Amino acid sequence: MTDTTSQFDSTLIDIDAAEPAAWSAATWFAVLSMAATSFALVSAEFLPAGLLTPMASDLGISEGTAGQVVTATASVGAVTALLSNVLIGRLNRKAVLVGLSALAIGSNILAALATDFWLLLLGRAGLGVALSGFWALSVAVVARLVGANATGRGMAIVTLGVSLATIAAPSMGALISDWLGWRSAMAMTAGLAALAMLLQLLSLPTLPASASNSLSDVLRLTRRRAVQLGMLAILLLMTGHFAGSVYVRPFLEQVTLLETWPIALALLGFGIASVIGNIAGGRMADADIRVALMATAALMAFATLALVLWGAHIVVAFSFAMLWGFAFGMAPVVLPTNLSRGAPDALEAVGSLMVVSFQVAISIGAVFGGYAVDNYGATGPLILTAVLAASTVALALLQPRG
């Protein structure tokens, strides 16, 4: 295999270089390989949502127990994120990314072949390691590929894989499960990871480690005010989103009084809008990250508040569900880019803090969202989303422009 390092010399590996007028074919290929990896990993992460019933029946466990495979992935990911950049030391980052894809292949195969719940759980834990390691490195690698001034655009393409996977994985898994069985659906994600690994091998340049991080180096970054604000923005906005988004279906059932098929249509619209938001978020993040953060949070706050106030009307419910999806699509681009601006000299270490912040936000959001719906009904979680998103707008005002 040809070493492609020479194609990425100077401007492409220098993260301080100005954005080139146009990316070369090699740059596009490398960034798209990262997007393919995000699609493969997130597809595997969300696949169980469409497989719980046949999986539980085959393994002789309850659906609630089967659902813990998702919890296992997230929990292991949160713990691993803090240590990932410490453990990889000065290994070549291309080799690490390829190794993480190989781990995802093995983990998905183990899950597909699992004869009991504990083997399934072990396979999902391995996937959690692969996910957290990939996302912890993603911003730093993308910045080295495209330049710091185009990081938002690069991350928009990478996280486009996330948006597509969250739309496709649950339904795709359910269809394949009904046709060939849940194990075949799990094996399919191993195939996706293998394709991503091949693309990485062919397209990524050699990426020598620029630094070796210790845990103290990672934690020391939390003393920086810009990093603190960036982590807080993730915690506020994503806690709000995950507190409310889980309960969109009950809201549409109880408040808008929709049947199953129009609810599915509304959720599809949410997903399509998130893909568009992903692209818009990348352009805004590169232009002015402070404005991008304010816009993302303000749109989410407005959309969820409008749903609470006027969501009984079908057209309003559909329109503002899509606006919420658009804002959510912007968030995975804007929030990491915003955090990375607080530590441009330590992108790998700050990547660990980014993954931890997202995982903690998901966990907190699930807890508070459940409390809100139990005590205040279907509108409770959406009110919480609006309040936390509005708080993020206020937080963005404290950040410097740029």
Side-chain angles (χ1 to χ4, degrees):
M1 186 174 299
T2 303
D3 189 345
T4 57
T5 305
S6 61
Q7 302 173 34
F8 291 84
D9 284 344
S10 66
T11 58
L12 291 178
I13 290 184
D14 179 6
I15 65 172
D16 294 321
E19 179 185 355
W23 294 354
S24 68
T27 303
W28 273 107
F29 195 14
V31 174
L32 289 174
S33 77
M34 294 287 287
T37 306
S38 75
F39 178 78
L41 293 175
V42 176
S43 291
E45 182 181 17
F46 285 101
L47 190 71
L51 306 180
L52 288 185
T53 300
M55 186 191 302
S57 176
D58 187 30
L59 295 176
I61 56 179
S62 69
E63 290 187 10
T65 301
Q68 296 310 306
V69 299
V70 178
T71 305
T73 306
S75 300
V76 171
V79 174
T80 306
L82 264 183
L83 301 175
S84 58
N85 284 318
V86 176
L87 296 176
I88 62 177
R90 301 193 67 87
L91 292 174
N92 188 289
R93 281 9 183 184
K94 176 179 180 177
V96 173
L97 289 170
V98 170
L100 291 171
S101 293
L103 175 61
I105 295 170
S107 298
N108 288 327
I109 290 175
L110 178 59
L113 299 177
T115 54
D116 59 50
F117 175 67
W118 295 109
L119 282 177
L120 177 64
L121 208 60
L122 181 61
R124 297 297 295 183
L127 177 64
V129 174
L131 273 162
S132 65
F134 172 78
W135 287 117
L137 285 173
S138 61
V139 176
V141 169
V142 168
R144 292 177 71 175
L145 294 176
V146 304
N149 292 336
T151 302
R153 180 184 173 197
M155 284 303 296
I157 295 171
V158 174
T159 56
L160 184 61
V162 177
S163 298
L164 294 175
T166 54
I167 297 171
S171 56
M172 184 170 55
L175 290 174
I176 295 175
S177 175
D178 288 344
W179 182 32
L180 298 173
W182 72 269
R183 295 182 186 277
S184 296
M186 281 284 188
M188 175 200 66
T189 59
L192 291 175
L195 177 60
M197 185 174 74
L198 177 62
L199 291 175
Q200 289 173 341
L201 285 168
L202 292 174
S203 66
L204 288 178
T206 296
L207 295 168
S210 57
S212 181
N213 302 305
S214 67
L215 184 57
S216 61
D217 292 332
V218 175
L219 296 178
R220 194 176 296 118
L221 290 177
T222 60
R223 299 176 184 175
R224 301 187 186 184
R225 182 171 181 271
V227 171
Q228 292 170 353
L229 292 175
M231 293 179 67
L232 185 56
I234 294 174
L235 289 171
L236 285 174
L237 194 62
M238 288 296 93
T239 295
H241 170 74
F242 286 105
S245 62
V246 175
Y247 302 100
V248 169
R249 178 166 183 166
F251 177 87
L252 294 174
E253 288 174 338
Q254 299 171 29
V255 177
T256 318
L257 303 178
L258 297 182
E259 300 293 334
T260 301
W261 73 264
I263 290 175
L265 191 60
L267 295 177
L268 177 62
F270 181 100
I272 293 172
S274 73
V275 173
I276 300 171
N278 207 262
I279 298 169
R283 295 189 177 277
M284 291 187 68
D286 287 334
D288 190 321
I289 191 60
R290 181 170 175 265
V291 171
L293 179 59
M294 290 173 60
T296 303
L299 288 174
M300 189 177 294
F302 178 65
T304 49
L305 182 60
L307 281 169
V308 171
L309 295 176
W310 306 299
H313 303 283
I314 295 177
V315 174
V316 172
F318 269 69
S319 299
F320 286 106
M322 290 185 69
L323 183 61
W324 186 358
F326 181 86
F328 173 62
M330 294 176 67
V333 183
V334 172
L335 291 170
T337 304
N338 177 59
L339 179 59
S340 70
R341 297 294 170 87
D345 57 322
L347 291 180
E348 290 187 3
V350 84
S352 295
L353 297 176
M354 180 266 290
V355 176
V356 171
S357 299
F358 268 98
Q359 296 291 359
V360 170
I362 292 170
S363 301
I364 296 175
V367 172
F368 281 93
Y371 175 83
V373 76
D374 286 343
N375 290 275
Y376 302 102
T379 60
L382 273 66
I383 292 173
L384 181 58
T385 302
V387 170
L388 291 177
S391 300
T392 310
V393 176
L395 181 70
L397 294 172
L398 299 176
Q399 300 194 169
R401 292 183 179 275

